[in-house]
């Protein structure tokens, strides 16, 4: 950092000297230190662009750019959204003047409903409201239907169903997932339970495993479990505190959602989030299914990433794959 750097605002992470602007000590390339201005604890601008947590928006129209919240910003062309990993995405905006946020993930204008970087197709913006807000996903409803995130569910009115066993919904005929998808015929309501704890994508009864409301083909239900996601850090350590919403295993095969992941190597398969590339990854010794190689994933496959177990207990040092 420059010799005369100074903080910009209180506890924002931004600082500047005569040559550069920094976010937590790292240079934000291309910024003008003389023109930097704070709009919130996370959002700053110079005369060319806006930045959130040090990352540029690459705004399409600077003059019309407005900060709605720490998760939503707009200009006359796009709505910009920051996700929980700090990634910025955008969606084509229909009406600039009427845009307003509902929560961190939903927003509306007078023509349509937005969920993060997508449009909730068919939703009526004048009657749309948030019904339930979970850790990382939401349920909304308009005058015609109920929606989970950006997708239409299998029910018309949230009042038609009741929560069952804290993880499902039921009406007088069917059982539904936490995302309000109707479970297939033959699901055993008495033995149905969640597997893992991440978004309830994985469930099982005594006969079958399910990804959301789809049967996992040919899975050994007695051994089936979602795979622990690895969060890889730049200091060459990892945590595995949550389960993958998309990848599972049964002792013999790796599954992607409801199907066997063809030719996946069971012993070396891993998935999670790479903080070096800021991307999700899924890989084994033979190939990448999601993301791409980095220094951290190479070390992971070479069993040289240290796994940290729990913040409140004594750290156990093991190597992935052992």
């Amino acid at each position: 950092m420059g010799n005369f750097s100074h903080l910009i605002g209180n506890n924002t992470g931004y600082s500047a000297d005569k040559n550069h602007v920094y976010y937590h000590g790292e240079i934000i390339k291309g910024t003008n230190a003389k023109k930097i201005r704070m709009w919130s604890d996370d959002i700053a601008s110079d005369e060319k662009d806006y930045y959130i947590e040090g990352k540029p928006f690459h705004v399409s129209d600077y003059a019309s750019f407005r900060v709605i919240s720490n998760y939503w910003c707009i200009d006359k062309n796009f709505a910009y959204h920051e996700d929980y990993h700090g990634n910025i995405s955008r969606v084509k905006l229909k009406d600039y003047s009427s845009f307003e946020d509902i929560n961190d993930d939903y927003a509306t204008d007078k023509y349509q409903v937005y969920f993060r970087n997508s449009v909730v197709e068919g939703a009526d913006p004048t009657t749309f409201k948030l019904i339930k807000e979970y850790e990382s996903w939401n349920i909304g409803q308009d005058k015609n239907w109920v929606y989970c995130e950006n997708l239409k569910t299998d029910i018309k009115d949230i009042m038609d169903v009741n929560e069952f066993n804290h993880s499902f919904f039921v009406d007088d005929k069917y059982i539904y997932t936490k995302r309000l998808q109707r479970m297939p015929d033959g699901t055993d309501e008495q033995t149905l339970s969640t597997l893992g704890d991440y978004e309830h994508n994985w469930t099982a009864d005594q006969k079958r495993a399910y990804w959301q409301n789809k049967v996992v083909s040919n899975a050994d239900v007695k051994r089936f479990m979602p795979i622990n996601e690895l969060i890889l850090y730049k200091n060459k350590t990892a945590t595995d505190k949550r389960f993958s919403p998309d990848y599972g295993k049964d002792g013999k095969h790796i599954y992607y959602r409801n199907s066997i992941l063809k030719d996946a190597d069971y012993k070396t398969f891993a998935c999670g989030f790479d903080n070096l590339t800021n991307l999700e990854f899924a890989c084994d010794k033979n190939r990448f299914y999601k993301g791409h190689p980095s220094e951290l994933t190479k070390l992971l496959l070479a069993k040289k990433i240290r796994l940290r177990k729990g913040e409140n207990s004594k750290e156990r040092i093991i190597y992935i794959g052992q």
Side-chain angles (χ1 to χ4, degrees):
M1 189 176 291
N3 293 331
F4 302 102
S5 63
H6 61 277
L7 298 177
I8 306 172
N10 296 320
N11 301 316
T12 67
Y14 288 90
S15 60
D17 59 26
K18 66 178 182 178
N19 297 315
H20 301 292
V21 180
Y22 306 83
Y23 186 72
H24 289 298
E26 295 188 10
I27 293 175
I28 308 173
K29 295 180 180 179
T31 51
N32 185 342
K34 295 179 181 180
K35 299 290 186 178
I36 199 71
R37 178 182 177 185
M38 295 302 303
W39 296 91
S40 71
D41 289 346
D42 297 318
I43 298 175
S45 70
D46 59 14
E47 83 282 16
K48 297 176 294 185
D49 206 349
Y50 282 75
Y51 308 87
I52 186 164
E53 297 180 356
K55 300 179 293 293
F57 279 92
H58 300 299
V59 300
S60 70
D61 185 73
Y62 183 90
S64 63
F65 191 87
R66 284 200 293 130
V67 176
I68 306 298
S69 70
N70 275 346
Y71 289 91
W72 288 104
C73 299
I74 61 172
D75 62 26
K76 69 177 184 179
N77 300 313
F78 295 98
Y80 300 82
H81 183 266
E82 185 194 23
D83 67 19
Y84 300 110
H85 292 307
N87 299 311
I88 302 167
S89 58
R90 66 186 190 181
V91 57
K92 186 67 176 176
L93 188 63
K94 192 76 170 180
D95 186 71
Y96 176 81
S97 62
S98 62
F99 185 92
E100 59 182 358
D101 64 320
I102 295 176
N103 70 345
D104 295 346
D105 295 312
Y106 278 125
T108 63
D109 61 25
K110 67 180 180 180
Y111 295 109
Q112 57 193 18
V113 179
Y114 303 87
F115 178 78
R116 299 178 186 171
N117 63 343
S118 63
V119 173
V120 184
E121 297 294 342
D124 174 51
T126 60
T127 59
F128 188 90
K129 59 183 177 179
L130 180 69
I131 300 298
K132 288 182 178 289
E133 185 174 27
Y134 295 96
E135 182 178 350
S136 59
W137 47 282
N138 303 271
I139 292 175
Q141 181 172 336
D142 64 13
K143 64 181 180 179
N144 299 314
W145 220 270
V146 177
Y147 303 84
C148 180
E149 299 187 342
N150 63 329
L151 299 177
K152 188 177 178 180
T153 71
D154 290 331
I155 66 170
K156 293 184 176 182
D157 191 333
I158 197 69
M159 300 304 294
D160 291 339
V161 295
N162 297 303
E163 285 198 74
F164 169 72
N165 200 24
H166 304 293
S167 300
F168 307 95
F169 288 92
V170 293
D171 58 22
D172 56 354
K173 292 183 179 180
Y174 305 111
I175 185 168
Y176 302 85
T177 70
K178 201 71 170 179
R179 294 172 179 267
L180 297 168
Q181 304 154 305
R182 179 184 160 187
M183 293 296 289
D185 292 342
T187 301
D188 182 10
E189 180 178 317
Q190 299 304 312
T191 61
L192 186 66
S193 61
T194 59
L195 300 176
D197 56 4
Y198 187 71
E199 296 189 357
H200 306 297
N201 269 356
W202 301 103
T203 58
D205 58 26
Q206 63 181 351
K207 294 182 179 180
R208 304 185 297 197
Y210 306 89
W211 180 81
Q212 295 188 3
N213 65 334
K214 297 178 175 61
V215 177
V216 181
S217 302
N218 302 311
D220 181 351
V221 67
K222 293 182 178 179
R223 302 182 68 185
F224 190 89
M225 281 294 292
I227 294 173
N228 286 92
E229 285 190 320
L230 298 170
I231 312 301
L232 305 182
Y233 298 99
K234 294 178 183 179
N235 64 356
K236 302 178 184 179
T237 65
T239 57
D240 64 347
K241 296 179 182 178
R242 68 182 188 184
F243 293 99
S244 170
D246 292 315
Y247 294 97
K249 61 182 180 180
D250 67 357
K252 185 177 181 181
H253 297 292
I254 301 294
Y255 294 82
Y256 176 68
R257 297 183 175 178
N258 62 314
S259 300
I260 291 175
L261 189 61
K262 187 177 180 181
D263 298 327
D265 183 71
Y266 188 89
K267 291 184 178 180
T268 62
F269 183 87
C271 62
F273 187 80
D274 183 346
N275 274 287
L276 191 62
T277 61
N278 206 35
L279 292 172
E280 293 180 344
F281 73 91
C283 64
D284 58 27
K285 67 179 183 179
N286 298 316
R287 65 185 176 119
F288 272 72
Y289 305 89
K290 181 186 291 186
H292 55 74
S294 73
E295 177 187 355
L296 292 181
T297 54
K298 289 177 183 177
L299 289 171
L300 172 66
L301 293 170
K303 303 179 183 178
K304 293 181 180 179
I305 290 285
R306 191 175 67 184
L307 180 63
R308 298 181 296 174
K309 284 285 189 178
E311 294 179 352
N312 299 318
S313 60
K314 186 176 180 181
E315 184 179 276
R316 290 190 294 138
I317 300 174
I318 64 175
Y319 290 93
I320 307 304
Q322 290 185 345

